[in-house]
Amino acid sequence: MTAFDLSGRLAVVTGARRGIGRAMARALAEAGADVIGVSASLEKSGSDVEKDVRAAGRGFEAIRTDFADPDAVRALGADLAGRERPVDILVNNAGTIRRAPAAEHPDTDWDTVIQVNLNAQFTLTRAVGAAMVARSHGKIIFTASLLSFQGGITVPGYTAAKHGIAGLTKALANEWAPHGVNVNAIAPGYIATDNTQALQDDQDRSRAILDRIPAGRWGRPEDLAGTTVFLASDAAAYVHGTILPVDGGWLGR
């Protein structure tokens, strides 16, 4: 057994159906954790993420929850916090994005993005985190963003939410670190997923992005795997309140 071994632990991964969330769930399973995958459209059985987890020899449970529905998120939190088998690792990865110039940005888009990317994250983490604090053990990982540090273009709601996630990570770490609960965040760079498809398809924007990334390529979801396992493991026991970029060097440019 190593400090990175997650055998016997239970991980909840939101936004687990595809992209970064699926890669995170797979990495945690390969490190030994059983996984509860949560997504608004996750298949009850037979999903790709379930196949990944079971191929690693770990248990999997699917929960469908719409993070745009505050009542559904509260119910999910109560369910997970009240289970006989406690949640050891919570990965808050669910998210959405809406693109429109700020002067034309609809209230509905703003409200949806803030609810899914920030409000729901706090609601779920409050419930699961309280149970972790009571047990004096737990790992919480948020998916932040480069836009936790920068402003972005035509995504004011997303930027505000991801700045909020960075602050929430630090605030919860301040309160919960003394109780044995690690709260940290990963800030992915430009990763080739559905959320960035519009940027990948825009030749000028894609070229400008690539020109700034020292690594010279778009990131892949599996580039987040090692960081996820690290922050979920005992190897990160003294890491609290950190927003860790995995960005191909973007922020260092």
Side-chain angles (χ1 to χ4, degrees), residues 12 14 36 38 61 63-83 87 115 119-120 122-128:
V12 172
T14 71
I36 297 174
V38 187
E61 177 185 349
I63 298 178
R64 181 176 288 190
T65 299
D66 182 359
F67 287 86
D69 180 346
D71 290 335
V73 177
R74 280 190 286 271
L76 173 64
D79 172 17
L80 295 174
R83 293 190 174 203
V87 175
Q115 166 57 32
N119 294 349
F122 174 68
T123 300
L124 180 59
T125 304
R126 179 178 57 193
V128 176

Side-chain angles (χ1 to χ4, degrees), residues 109-163:
D109 284 0
W110 172 275
D111 291 343
T112 297
V113 169
I114 294 296
Q115 166 57 32
V116 172
N117 292 17
L118 184 58
N119 294 349
Q121 313 298 316
F122 174 68
T123 300
L124 180 59
T125 304
R126 179 178 57 193
V128 176
M132 290 178 172
V133 168
R135 298 194 317 276
S136 299
H137 174 77
K139 307 285 185 177
I140 296 169
I141 304 168
F142 289 98
T143 297
S145 170
L146 293 181
L147 299 190
S148 296
F149 305 97
Q150 300 176 325
I153 301 170
T154 71
V155 286
Y158 187 86
T159 300
K162 292 302 185 179
H163 271 66

Side-chain angles (χ1 to χ4, degrees), residues 98-107 109-110 151-157 205:
R98 298 289 189 276
R99 300 182 186 277
E104 306 162 12
H105 208 79
D107 287 349
D109 284 0
W110 172 275
I153 301 170
T154 71
V155 286
R205 285 293 306 280

